[in-house]
Amino acid sequence: MINIKNNLDKIKAQIQQACLQSGRLIPLTGFAKPLSGQSLEQQSPVSLLAVSKTKPSALVEQAHLAGQNNFGENYLQEAVEKIATLTHLPELIWHFIGPIQSNKTKQIANNFSWVHSVDREKIALRLNQHLEDDICHNTPLNICLQVNISNEDSKSGISIEQVFVLAKIVDNCDKLILRGLMAVPEKKAPKACYEIMQTLFIQLKEQYPSVDTLSLGMSNDLDKAVAHGSTMVRIGTAIFGARENKI
Ligand SMILES: *Cc1c(COP(=O)(O)O)cnc(C)c1O
């Protein structure tokens, strides 16, 4: 049987190691201890998003029991059902990380706190409009722009040139908070892809004080992503095990 808590502990240790190696965490030497009330984990500059796509709500609950609260989903129908099953756990924070069809924006706005995969103006405006229309909904939606860093035709995401144009549009939306950038580099993507994301993120942060998130790194490229400034890694397989069929 899969041991979710064990897997989460391993990933957190790997994140911490990657942070230490890239100078993003200062090693504790000698008798130095974390400040009172602060665990090492809380000091980590990289947060962990557990990607639960294709996995049952029972496994999400197990991860929650082990202290995990942020979950990522790709497939809307599956996600909406899972979220409905887990409403007794109000601490859960849901992130939509999959491709977005414009006729699904209402359900996304209603069910998620974060959307990492915004890649066109129409989607941003529709998400904003749903929240404007829904007077009961007063928490804004956290937005990352998805960048097609490997320039693959098949992958969603904006080109590098479009980043600042779309950022301005999102920043102008009252109900959206521009939090940063997201990318899914192709397997074995060169280091240059990660460097470009890091640079874009730094530039965006200089322009927009709300920007604090570089959503980069999955089970296979976690170390490389952390070395290039990722602030949020999206980990599925290494926590929940391999997926069947769907990617
Ligand atoms: C599936 C998926 C992940 C998780 O990938 P793993 O390799 O299982 O860690 C992260 N981000 C996105 C956008 C995904 O679709």
Side-chain angles (χ1 to χ4, degrees):
M1 224 190 79
I2 186 154
N3 188 332
I4 303 271
K5 174 161 186 351
N6 213 7
N7 291 348
L8 281 168
D9 287 345
K10 274 196 233 162
I11 282 290
K12 284 185 219 166
Q14 190 184 343
I15 292 171
Q16 196 183 333
Q17 195 55 38
C19 286
L20 286 167
Q21 258 162 23
S22 52
R24 297 181 63 193
L25 264 182
I26 314 298
L28 294 176
T29 52
F31 296 105
K33 291 225 173 73
L35 298 173
S36 61
Q38 248 183 341
S39 71
L40 254 187
E41 207 179 289
Q42 283 168 320
Q43 295 172 19
S44 171
V46 181
S47 57
L48 172 58
L49 179 63
V51 177
S52 46
K53 63 183 178 199
T54 81
K55 300 296 179 182
S57 54
L59 291 189
V60 174
E61 285 208 69
Q62 274 189 40
H64 168 69
L65 282 174
Q68 179 67 29
N69 283 331
N70 284 279
F71 292 90
E73 290 281 340
N74 286 54
Y75 309 107
L76 187 61
Q77 198 48 46
E78 178 203 336
V80 167
E81 286 167 23
K82 221 177 281 182
I83 292 168
T85 310
L86 293 166
T87 47
H88 59 289
L89 302 175
E91 315 78 52
L92 300 190
I93 300 165
W94 294 97
H95 300 237
F96 192 77
I97 62 174
I100 305 175
Q101 293 167 269
S102 59
N103 62 346
K104 300 289 166 60
T105 46
K106 187 171 186 177
Q107 265 186 307
I108 292 175
N110 284 341
N111 284 281
F112 290 84
S113 303
W114 284 71
V115 183
H116 292 224
S117 42
V118 170
D119 65 354
R120 45 198 200 278
E121 175 174 11
K122 184 179 179 188
I123 298 296
L125 297 180
R126 287 181 64 111
L127 288 169
N128 188 57
Q129 190 60 49
H130 296 309
L131 297 174
E132 298 263 10
D133 293 346
D134 181 357
I135 49 161
C136 301
H137 200 298
N138 41 29
T139 43
L141 190 56
N142 298 292
I143 301 291
C144 292
L145 310 179
Q146 183 171 355
V147 183
N148 184 353
I149 197 63
S150 304
N151 249 323
E152 289 171 282
D153 292 341
S154 59
K155 280 225 180 88
S156 350
I158 48 175
S159 64
I160 293 163
E161 298 76 46
Q162 292 171 298
V163 166
F164 293 91
V165 178
L166 190 55
K168 194 171 168 88
I169 291 165
V170 169
D171 188 59
N172 279 332
C173 288
D174 275 351
K175 301 287 182 177
L176 307 182
I177 306 181
L178 179 67
R179 296 298 295 266
L181 300 174
M182 181 271 233
V184 187
E186 63 182 349
K187 290 212 174 66
K188 305 222 177 79
K191 238 171 88 174
C193 288
Y194 294 81
E195 288 165 359
I196 292 169
M197 286 307 296
Q198 183 168 27
T199 306
L200 280 174
F201 174 56
I202 291 168
Q203 289 172 346
L204 197 67
K205 213 157 53 159
E206 280 166 5
Q207 280 191 28
Y208 297 99
S210 60
V211 168
D212 59 2
T213 303
L214 178 57
S215 167
L216 185 68
M218 316 197 338
S219 297
N220 284 321
D221 64 346
L222 187 160
D223 294 340
K224 216 191 310 185
V226 170
H228 291 90
S230 167
T231 70
M232 193 184 289
V233 290
R234 308 178 308 268
I235 307 295
T237 311
I239 297 173
F240 296 109
R243 291 177 294 273
E244 290 169 25
N245 303 321
K246 295 191 234 176
I247 39 155

